[in-house]
Each structure stands twice: as structure tokens, then as C-alpha cells.
Amino acid sequence: MDWQERIRAKGLRISEPRRQIMTLLAETTVPLSPAAIHTCIQKQGGSLSLASVYRTLRLLEDLDLLCQVYLADGNLGFMVHDSGHHHHVLCRCCNRSVDFPGNDDLLALAARVEELTGYTISDHMLQFYGLCPQCRQA
Amino acid sequence: MDWQERIRAKGLRISEPRRQIMTLLAETTVPLSPAAIHTCIQKQGGSLSLASVYRTLRLLEDLDLLCQVYLADGNLGFMVHDSGHHHHVLCRCCNRSVDFPGNDDLLALAARVEELTGYTISDHMLQFYGLCPQCRQA
DNA sequence: ATCTATGCAAAGACTTTGCATCCCC
DNA sequence: GGGGATGCAAAGTCTTTGCATAGAT
């Protein structure tokens, strides 16, 4: 089920802003902030309001079509959400981001932490930071 | 070296706001937001401005005396920073937080991710979420 | 005495919301 | 045609900053 179907399935509509944002995020490897999305689309000649960007991002995230990552500077960026549980590695230099699947190592660690702390662990947040191949060369 | 020495070592001064904030954060197990810190101290009869809370938190974090965690609701909270590399488990119900030391499992995972993605990984962010023993019973 | 830290208030940055209009189905 | 979606502008929320004053060493 692609994103358009997922939206229609909720009785919602495919609008120009939604199309523009999904298209933009699908073709970039860098997570983008609301302001960056707004600017990008304006530069491409599109027109949409910042308010729509916020509304659309919230909607798409609720539909699980997008996910948020914490950029190296602490700000939030949005990316298209690939299916399945996964995490991201982000480049501290260019923000380019790649994901990798959830891993059993983490389950083992979680189990150990439960034992150690008495907590019942339900989920987690994990991101790696470093340099992407391109930035390492420069 | 305790926090007062660490501040003096930078040629800075021990002031009432700094004392109040460090004392408050030292005795709570829940990471507090700037607003919460401000409110707490006012309730205790202390007086300090919100601006000072922000300035002080930034300073204390720069000195590595505090660390930030992402609360269950996405907001940031501050805690005293225990020495050594560590992570936190947070309760989704009461926010109570406990830390645990850095772990080799993560190093192994990082190595695998480097191989998989071509990135050079320098650091990471990891937090577990769940229920603390007290909230599980309720 | 000196130089840092604080309070206050204003300014900034970011995000949300009300409402009239537009447009997707 | 009907109801969801958008744009615009105003209102909120959170955070930072300038400046005069208070305070630590």
C-alpha cells in the first residue's frame, strides 16, 4: 500500500501540498526540517504555506509515512519512513542519513537493563552519529 | 572534583541560582524541564528568573555537570550527569529515570553498522522507555 | 574594586489555531 | 455539492538577549 492509498484509506484526500512534501522527502537522503521543506518547495516554484507544512507533516507522521530523527544540531528532521523497525545513522557533517534494521543486540541489552533497573522496557530510541563516506574523504 | 570546584576552575562564581538548581536536580529522580525547575524553586520559596534558569542550565551542561534526556512526551529534561558514559531508561508514566553504563553490545552493533553503511561512527544516542517498578504495580 | 551573574522586559524562533475560501472526491 | 484542506494572520509557547543593577571573590 503506497502513501496515497494509505491517505485515502482514512477518508482523507490527496492534495498538492501532500504530494509535494512526499515527493520532496522521497528524493532526498537528508532529513529536512519544516522550514527547510517550505524553502525547498518554494525554490522549486511550488507554493504552500508554512502552516500547511506543519499540518501535513503531522498528518503524514500519524499515518506512519514519515519518521523524525534528531539532527546533529539537536533539531528535528523528517524522512520517509521505511517499513519495519529500524534506526538511523546520521552524518555530523552533511546530515545525510541511512537506516539499518532493528537488531537483536539491542534486545539482549534491553533484557539486561530490565534486570539491572527493575523497569519493564517497551521501546527505545537509538541513533548513531558519524561521518558518511563522502564527507570522510573531504 | 565536585560541581562547585568545577565552576570555580573556570573562573566562574557560585551563585544562589546555580546552587538552587544543582540542589534541586541532585535530589530528584525525574528529569526536569526549565519551566519545571523554575516552578519548583519558586514553590520552595526561592526566587529566580526563567532567564536565569536557561542561562544556568546551559552553563552547567557545558561544564558537563548536567545531561539532557528526551522525555516520553518528546520534551527535554535535565538531570545531574553521573560520570562515565551511560544511558537512561525512562518511565513513560512518571518520567522517573535511571541510568546504566555504556555497553559493549552497542560497540558490536556500531561496528556492524559501519560495515553495512560505510559510515564512520563516532557516537550515538540511546534511551530506553518503559515502566518503572512503582508504576507497573499501579 | 572588579568583573561576573541576575532580573526584567523585549525580541526571536518556532509552532499552532481560527476562519474564510478553495478544491478533491 | 459536501466536507476536508489550504492560506493567511493572529496567537501561543519556548528560548535568547540587551542592559542596568546586584553580587561574588
Side-chain angles (χ1 to χ4, degrees):
Chain A
M1 180 150 91
D2 74 349
W3 67 271
Q4 304 206 354
E5 293 173 46
R6 188 113 46 124
I7 286 181
R8 288 209 188 83
K10 289 271 181 183
L12 305 174
R13 298 168 184 180
I14 310 300
S15 64
E16 203 44 24
R18 291 173 188 177
R19 222 188 319 263
Q20 290 173 322
I21 289 176
M22 279 304 287
T23 302
L24 174 62
L25 290 180
E27 58 193 23
T28 178
T29 52
V30 180
L32 297 174
S33 67
I37 291 170
H38 185 233
T39 306
C40 275
I41 291 177
Q42 300 243 318
K43 274 186 190 161
Q44 294 173 1
S47 87
L48 83 177
S49 68
L50 235 197
S52 290
V53 175
Y54 280 101
R55 280 189 284 232
T56 302
L57 288 175
R58 174 181 289 193
L59 172 75
L60 296 175
E61 204 194 357
D62 287 348
L63 290 177
D64 207 34
L65 292 167
L66 298 182
C67 63
Q68 294 187 322
V69 297
Y70 294 94
L71 303 179
D73 64 6
N75 287 123
L76 277 174
F78 290 80
M79 305 188 67
V80 296
H81 187 135
D82 299 314
S83 58
H85 186 63
H86 63 279
H87 305 100
H88 296 93
V89 214
L90 283 112
C91 179
R92 282 212 176 277
C93 177
C94 70
N95 273 327
R96 185 180 288 116
S97 173
V98 169
D99 56 33
F100 59 93
N103 194 288
D104 289 343
D105 287 19
L106 221 48
L107 293 180
L109 178 55
R112 208 160 330 133
V113 172
E114 287 191 324
E115 223 174 299
L116 195 67
T117 63
Y119 277 56
T120 303
I121 293 175
S122 57
D123 60 305
H124 58 262
M125 173 174 73
L126 171 67
Q127 282 183 210
F128 284 110
Y129 295 97
L131 282 181
C132 71
Q134 288 88 335
C135 289
R136 183 161 3 100
Q137 293 191 332
Chain B
M1 179 152 88
D2 74 349
W3 68 270
Q4 304 207 353
E5 293 174 45
R6 189 113 47 124
I7 286 182
R8 289 209 186 83
K10 289 269 181 184
L12 306 175
R13 299 169 183 178
I14 309 299
S15 65
E16 205 39 44
R18 291 173 187 176
R19 222 189 317 264
Q20 289 172 323
I21 290 176
M22 279 304 288
T23 302
L24 174 62
L25 290 181
E27 58 192 22
T28 176
T29 53
V30 180
L32 297 174
S33 68
I37 290 170
H38 185 234
T39 307
C40 276
I41 291 178
Q42 300 243 319
K43 274 185 189 159
Q44 294 173 0
S47 88
L48 84 176
S49 69
L50 234 198
S52 290
V53 175
Y54 280 101
R55 280 189 284 231
T56 302
L57 288 175
R58 174 180 291 195
L59 172 76
L60 296 176
E61 203 193 357
D62 287 347
L63 291 177
D64 208 35
L65 293 166
L66 297 182
C67 63
Q68 293 187 322
V69 297
Y70 294 94
L71 302 180
D73 64 7
N75 287 124
L76 277 174
F78 291 81
M79 304 189 67
V80 296
H81 188 133
D82 299 314
S83 58
H85 185 63
H86 63 278
H87 305 100
H88 296 93
V89 213
L90 284 111
C91 180
R92 281 213 176 277
C93 177
C94 70
N95 273 326
R96 185 179 287 118
S97 173
V98 170
D99 55 34
F100 57 93
N103 193 286
D104 289 341
D105 286 18
L106 221 47
L107 293 180
L109 177 56
R112 209 161 329 135
V113 171
E114 287 191 325
E115 223 174 300
L116 194 67
T117 63
Y119 277 56
T120 303
I121 293 175
S122 57
D123 61 305
H124 58 262
M125 173 175 74
L126 172 66
Q127 282 182 209
F128 283 110
Y129 295 96
L131 281 182
C132 71
Q134 289 87 334
C135 289
R136 183 161 2 100
Q137 293 191 331

